[in-house]
Amino acid sequence: MGIFDMFLSEEKRIAKQQRTLTNRDSQPEDREAAARWLVENGSPKSVVALLTRFDMKLDNQLKDASERDFVYSLVVGLGDALDRPLSRHLGRCKNLAYPLKLLVETKGEQAAIQQVYELLRKEHEKDDFKPRRKTDLLVWLAQHTEAGAVEVAQLFLSDFDENVRYAAIEVIAAQDGADLIDLLQPVLTNPDEDANRVKVRIAELIQQRGLAVTDVEGVRSALPNTHVVTDEGRIKAA
């Protein structure tokens, strides 16, 4: 810390260390020193500042991964002091992989799943055109089988973004006992659904599960040329 830093307010000192930590042009040893300062300070604002390192990427992937792992090792040992800053960071961060990993390790998988539900519901309520967070959260959720996942994923089946809709379908497909016909046939026959990738994935899922559609003509007119539907409602590859 510079000699004049003692005259800065706490908030400004934290901000200065955060700028160093998240500056690609900083020397690696300076970023490490900033990370150590922030974790030793230990205030909620310092911890949030520390977590923002996960939103910055270096061009050198190996060095970037090493620094991220170092920051992870610092914050994972904070215990309960991490709870509120991590929750705050999760609500607005750009890259979710490390924060969600932290959440699972510190609070357990079930708590992480419940928080992802909450985050997704908040994303659904937003009136913006930033689909990446929704997609990343849904992709993470698709790796888990948990009651409540279908209900949350359904919110995104009509999202404006194709990747979000596709990720929502994958969440539903991952859940045991999910009724794919009731849930996904309406997506397939929706005249506003113009993404062949989405239609093909739904067709594949219905075919793989050996299910029969209930709206044969509607499905027949909606299917891409990769699949056909029999009069009995069975989908087959064309």
Side-chain angles (χ1 to χ4, degrees), residues 48 54 109 112 134 197 222 224 235:
V48 170
F54 298 131
E109 187 172 279
K134 290 182 283 189
R197 185 167 71 111
I235 292 180

Side-chain angles (χ1 to χ4, degrees), residues 109-119 121 140 146-148:
E109 187 172 279
Q110 291 301 314
I113 290 171
Q114 295 304 315
Q115 184 143 4
V116 167
Y117 288 167
E118 181 181 344
L119 291 168
R121 290 188 180 101
W140 184 90
E146 182 65 25

Side-chain angles (χ1 to χ4, degrees), residues 155-215:
L155 299 173
F156 300 94
L157 290 176
S158 58
D159 192 88
F160 71 89
D161 185 82
E162 173 186 335
N163 291 325
V164 174
R165 299 196 302 277
Y166 192 96
I169 290 166
E170 292 299 335
V171 173
I172 292 170
Q175 308 310 310
D176 295 333
D179 190 335
L180 297 189
I181 300 300
D182 282 352
L183 292 167
L184 300 184
Q185 180 178 275
V187 180
L188 185 59
T189 58
N190 183 353
D192 292 328
E193 181 53 72
D194 57 0
N196 266 0
R197 185 167 71 111
V198 169
K199 293 181 179 182
V200 168
R201 184 58 179 143
I202 294 172
E204 288 174 345
L205 288 169
I206 293 174
Q207 179 188 8
Q208 290 166 4
R209 306 289 171 89
L211 303 172
V213 300
T214 56
D215 181 5

Side-chain angles (χ1 to χ4, degrees), residues 20-21 23-24 26-35 58 67:
T20 300
L21 178 67
N23 185 351
R24 294 178 179 83
S26 297
Q27 293 299 312
E29 56 269 25
D30 290 337
R31 286 195 295 268
E32 179 177 335
L58 300 175
E67 286 193 13

Side-chain angles (χ1 to χ4, degrees), residues 11 37 50 57 78 92 110 121 125 169 196 198 225 237:
E11 188 169 338
W37 186 95
L50 191 59
K57 288 186 178 181
L78 289 173
R92 60 187 184 185
Q110 291 301 314
R121 290 188 180 101
E125 293 170 0
I169 290 166
N196 266 0
V198 169
N225 57 17

Side-chain angles (χ1 to χ4, degrees), residues 2-46:
I3 190 170
F4 296 109
D5 287 353
M6 66 181 68
F7 300 110
L8 297 176
S9 68
E10 177 81 352
E11 188 169 338
K12 288 183 178 179
R13 281 188 287 167
I14 292 171
K16 180 180 179 181
Q17 298 299 327
Q18 182 179 11
R19 285 194 298 272
T20 300
L21 178 67
T22 57
N23 185 351
R24 294 178 179 83
D25 296 326
S26 297
Q27 293 299 312
E29 56 269 25
D30 290 337
R31 286 195 295 268
E32 179 177 335
R36 291 187 183 279
W37 186 95
L38 288 166
V39 78
E40 288 170 6
N41 179 278
S43 70
K45 287 185 178 180
S46 284

Side-chain angles (χ1 to χ4, degrees), residues 203 206-207 223-230 232-238:
I206 293 174
Q207 179 188 8
L223 277 176
N225 57 17
T226 55
H227 291 79
V228 296
V229 60
T230 68
E232 293 75 31
R234 302 291 178 176
I235 292 180
K236 297 181 179 181

